[in-house]
Amino acid sequence: MSRISACTLSHVIVTMLLASMSSASLAWVYPEHRELALSAVQGLDNDHRQVFDRLWQDARTGDEARLCALGADSEQGLTPACIDWAALTAIAGDHSCSSREMFETARASNWILNVADVAAQLKLDLSSLPVTAPPEASEGSKNLVTDAQRNLESQAVRARRINALRTADIRLQRADPAYATRAGSNNAHFLLARPRTDISPLEYAQLTLLPDSELNAIGVYAFFHLSALQKASRLRHEQLTDAQRKALARSALADEAFALHFLQDVYASGHIAGTWGDTSQRKGTHDFYNQNGLEAFTWRGGNRSVVLMGDAHMRSEDAMVAASAVRESLQQVLDTVSGRAGSRDVPPAPMAPAEPDGFDVCGNTTMPRREPALRAQQEHFPLFVTTLGETPVPGLGPGLGSMPRFRSEVGPFVGLAGTIDGRAVNRGFVASQSANGTVGGLDLSVRAGVGIDGVMGDAGDGLVYASLGLRSDLPSSNRFNDVFQGTSSGNLTAAIPARSGIALRFRMPYYLIPGDLLLTSPLFLFKPKAYKDMAVVAGNGGLLGLQSGWATSIGRFQFVLGRELGVTFYGRAGDDQLIAPSDQPGGLGRLVRFKSTSFDLPILEFRPYRAFSNNQSSSVVFQLFAAADVPRGASTSYPPGAPTPDLRTVWSLGLKIVFDWRYYY
């Protein structure tokens, strides 16, 4: 491989790895985020609700057509015509990188209503799916039939969930091209792991909130919540013009909505297990706990615990716990605005800007330093304690006592693959051989590549690999002479003889046409973000979405035409030989020496079995494929001087069974 080709391939692999990191960065899906905020507002008492409604009316001034009349509109259908305040918590973080960008996106972008449409449909799809413990986490019965039936039912529900998320992710990526890559540069959506068991709530707060600490969900929440409180204090203490009051109301509600997205993330089980580990561990641990749930204790202490689920698995119990914290946080802002009797007095902050905060949670990796006049004061801490005391205690970092970690099929691997296949051929190589036949074959190869399964979810496939192996074919069932009347069969009479060859195979996703990620790889040097977005789309089914996996209760189907190419070089160890009919009537035939190159393209793939344990995976894959066997270098070795027949390409359609084993590093 040339230096340019190697560099090109490395660009593609690096880009796909970066994309896979982002897949583990999101917590609750859009409709879940909005549902938590909606529930929090609906649970406000009359006094708080009146303050909220008044602030929202001020905040939407000038944008009444885009921003809903109700800040929490419970009657929205499948095609929302406007964006309410509750939806801002879903747009935050996942579809915008700052409070300022979030509000501008909501009020002025051309695409955000398309995102809201997708979310409304996803909410409907998920609402019909029960969230129950998987069979392996439940006590089995003594009836094998009952257990098998339960497994099938569980797999059917899981398949429907995967397909609903698959469809939503594809539509969201089309509406918002930065959706999959926006949050992949840091751990802003995760809780920081505890460094030791005896860390106090105050010490943990300092770990998460101090400037230059690693960006994390608690820190981001507190940063934007403080901004909202400071602007709310200006609304309470200052004499403002009507325009100034409305601008501050907009800014305070925007900052609070952005903050609440990350407070909600804290209650997703996959985000409690900590962020340490490589990409494979982070994603695998995140996915496992989101799907299987996690028992969590809060910083408040005591022996009361709660089981929490995660992304796309939210239950009413999860919503109740998270919405309560969201409501408490929102009430602090509303109390600050109204000066409600009995509320803690938030000190004035005249330097607080009148526009939503612009801190970029996607482009930064550490907590920012505030201006001295805008730093947290002693009066703020009791408010944070009230809210954060009810948040889950995260898992320990690396070492003894840490939560069990799980890996996903992400990262470099080496592996072995064994293949058994059979194919129907349309004829032999010689022009006079027109009878159809069949050919069987075996293939054993070693593989190396990068596993990036599920860039945005289980339906994705960003697998990149190259393999080298040996292939052996049986003789074809059709004979070298269509009029041959003998009863013998095998290599002597076959139109296509038994052969062996060196087999190469290469697999890579593509954006629109096969190989386009390689062809456009120079774009990585000049516009890395655009190229990264292309790679994410490629890994999740391509621009047309035709190549995403489709889950069923019996396995996963995927249209893969153009993603994989196999090339087999026959005759490299010495020319192959076939018998061709004689060029003279009644002749005995000719012995022809030749080589050939076979190209095969998988079309449809079915994976009924897949297992992954720590750092090894195994799977069985069925592939429907088409092939073209192109002969070359033909010469007649017997009888001497006989003309060499013209050899033609042999076309075939076949089915192969692949046994795939990989070891991940």
Side-chain angles (χ1 to χ4, degrees):
M1 182 180 289
S2 69
R3 179 179 299 177
I4 294 177
S5 299
C7 184
T8 297
L9 182 58
S10 69
H11 287 168
V12 175
I13 293 175
V14 167
T15 299
M16 296 300 294
L17 276 172
L18 290 173
S20 70
M21 293 179 190
S22 67
S23 65
S25 296
L26 309 180
W28 304 113
V29 294
Y30 185 119
E32 292 171 334
H33 274 293
R34 182 175 178 272
E35 186 64 28
L36 291 175
L38 196 67
S39 177
V41 173
Q42 290 173 335
L44 294 173
D45 59 38
N46 288 336
D47 291 342
H48 284 108
R49 185 61 184 263
Q50 288 177 10
V51 178
F52 173 80
D53 289 341
R54 185 176 71 248
L55 284 177
W56 178 244
Q57 294 310 314
D58 286 344
R60 61 188 289 267
T61 299
D63 296 301
E64 290 86 353
R66 172 59 67 85
L67 302 179
C68 301
L70 297 177
D73 187 356
S74 59
E75 301 300 322
Q76 282 192 354
L78 290 178
T79 54
C82 58
I83 300 296
D84 61 3
W85 178 84
L88 296 182
T89 65
I91 298 171
D94 297 344
H95 297 283
S96 61
C97 293
S98 69
S99 174
R100 187 178 304 164
E101 183 187 8
M102 173 202 69
F103 205 88
E104 190 63 23
T105 296
R107 62 171 290 273
S109 71
N110 295 323
W111 51 267
I112 195 60
L113 287 178
N114 293 333
V115 170
D117 287 352
V118 177
Q121 182 61 55
L122 179 59
K123 177 182 178 181
L124 181 63
D125 293 340
L126 294 179
S127 66
S128 64
L129 302 177
V131 178
T132 58
E136 57 270 21
S138 305
E139 185 176 359
S141 70
K142 296 181 180 180
N143 189 313
L144 294 178
V145 175
T146 301
D147 286 345
Q149 183 178 9
R150 186 169 59 177
N151 285 333
L152 282 175
E153 291 173 351
S154 176
Q155 288 300 316
V157 171
R158 181 176 182 273
R160 290 172 59 194
R161 195 183 309 276
I162 290 173
N163 292 333
L165 291 170
R166 161 193 178 273
T167 301
D169 281 340
I170 291 173
R171 294 180 62 197
L172 287 173
Q173 187 68 28
R174 289 174 180 171
D176 176 10
Y179 169 59
T181 58
R182 184 176 282 111
S185 61
N186 56 49
N187 294 324
H189 296 259
F190 288 80
L191 284 168
L192 287 184
R194 287 177 296 144
R196 63 182 194 277
T197 59
D198 61 347
I199 188 170
S200 68
L202 179 59
E203 290 176 313
Y204 184 78
Q206 292 174 336
L207 179 67
T208 60
L209 301 177
L210 288 180
D212 300 324
S213 295
E214 183 181 359
L215 215 60
N216 63 93
I218 292 293
V220 173
Y221 160 73
F223 179 89
F224 284 94
H225 183 55
L226 177 59
S227 294
L229 289 172
Q230 290 171 336
K231 292 162 186 178
S233 74
R234 288 193 61 189
L235 283 168
R236 175 182 178 182
H237 292 289
E238 297 182 17
Q239 296 295 321
L240 304 167
T241 66
D242 184 63
Q244 289 174 329
R245 188 184 73 255
K246 290 177 178 178
L248 277 171
R250 170 176 294 198
S251 183
L253 283 183
D255 287 350
E256 181 64 8
F258 201 86
L260 292 177
H261 177 97
F262 296 89
L263 181 61
Q264 293 168 354
D265 283 351
V266 166
Y267 290 90
S269 53
H271 294 240
I272 300 171
T275 60
W276 61 272
D278 58 24
T279 301
S280 175
Q281 286 181 319
R282 285 172 50 199
K283 185 178 185 304
T285 302
H286 165 272
D287 293 349
F288 176 85
Y289 287 111
N290 276 338
Q291 296 169 16
N292 291 271
L294 176 69
E295 182 188 24
F297 294 84
T298 70
W299 287 106
R300 192 71 67 193
N303 58 4
R304 178 177 172 273
S305 66
V306 61
V307 173
L308 296 173
M309 300 298 292
D311 317 12
H313 292 78
M314 190 172 74
R315 307 163 302 158
S316 59
E317 302 96 306
D318 308 310
M320 184 181 302
V321 173
S324 176
V326 171
R327 186 180 306 111
E328 169 62 32
S329 180
L330 178 59
Q331 286 178 168
Q332 292 175 5
V333 175
L334 300 179
D335 286 343
T336 301
V337 171
S338 66
R340 186 177 184 182
S343 64
R344 297 183 178 92
D345 190 29
V346 174
M351 299 300 294
E355 65 274 356
D357 202 291
F359 176 65
D360 185 347
V361 300
C362 305
N364 288 283
T365 57
T366 58
M367 294 297 299
R369 291 184 176 273
R370 285 182 173 272
E371 295 295 328
L374 297 177
R375 292 174 183 168
Q377 305 298 317
Q378 190 67 35
E379 293 86 347
H380 294 121
F381 294 141
L383 300 178
F384 292 143
V385 169
T386 300
T387 302
L388 300 180
E390 297 299 332
T391 59
V393 177
L396 287 171
L400 296 175
S402 61
M403 291 183 180
R405 310 292 291 176
F406 301 89
R407 291 177 61 102
S408 62
E409 293 194 57
V410 172
F413 70 85
V414 295
L416 296 174
T419 302
I420 302 174
D421 65 65
R423 60 188 187 273
V425 297
N426 67 329
R427 59 193 175 198
F429 286 111
V430 180
S432 61
Q433 297 168 340
S434 59
N436 299 328
T438 58
V439 176
L442 300 172
D443 188 310
L444 182 63
S445 62
V446 294
R447 294 180 172 181
V450 176
I452 320 174
D453 285 355
V455 175
M456 288 192 298
D458 288 342
D461 171 18
L463 182 64
V464 178
Y465 72 78
S467 71
L468 172 66
L470 297 176
R471 177 174 178 81
S472 179
D473 283 355
L474 298 172
S476 66
S477 62
N478 53 338
R479 298 175 176 180
F480 80 89
N481 190 335
D482 292 345
V483 298
F484 182 77
Q485 298 297 320
T487 59
S488 62
S489 61
N491 211 42
L492 290 176
T493 61
I496 303 174
R499 299 173 294 165
S500 61
I502 298 173
L504 303 178
R505 188 164 296 276
F506 185 70
R507 179 162 177 149
M508 175 182 289
Y510 61 87
Y511 180 75
L512 183 60
I513 59 174
D516 55 10
L517 290 183
L518 288 174
L519 296 175
T520 60
S521 61
L523 184 65
F524 181 84
L525 302 176
F526 306 104
K527 293 186 177 181
K529 182 180 182 302
Y531 187 76
K532 186 177 178 181
D533 289 342
M534 285 181 59
V536 170
V537 173
N540 286 277
L543 183 62
L544 302 180
L546 299 177
Q547 300 193 48
S548 292
W550 189 265
T552 71
S553 60
I554 60 171
R556 179 178 183 268
F557 291 88
Q558 185 179 13
F559 180 72
V560 294
L561 183 63
R563 288 197 165 209
E564 183 176 324
L565 172 66
V567 182
T568 303
F569 299 96
Y570 292 104
R572 299 297 296 178
D575 290 347
D576 293 316
Q577 299 182 83
L578 61 79
I579 299 176
S582 173
D583 62 321
Q584 300 294 327
L588 295 177
R590 292 168 285 179
L591 186 63
V592 179
R593 302 173 65 89
F594 74 106
K595 301 178 186 294
S596 73
T597 305
S598 177
F599 304 89
D600 75 83
L601 287 170
I603 302 170
L604 181 66
E605 187 172 275
F606 170 57
R607 188 179 64 201
Y609 167 79
R610 181 187 189 185
F612 187 82
S613 175
N614 194 20
N615 55 7
Q616 300 183 55
S617 72
S618 61
S619 62
V620 176
V621 177
F622 292 81
Q623 286 185 334
L624 176 69
F625 69 96
D629 199 345
V630 183
R632 55 189 172 83
S635 63
T636 300
S637 59
Y638 182 86
T644 300
D646 292 330
L647 301 187
R648 305 175 303 175
T649 298
V650 175
W651 300 90
S652 58
L653 186 68
L655 181 68
K656 65 176 67 175
I657 305 175
V658 183
F659 302 89
D660 184 14
W661 173 84
R662 306 176 204 167
Y663 181 90
Y664 283 84
Y665 292 95

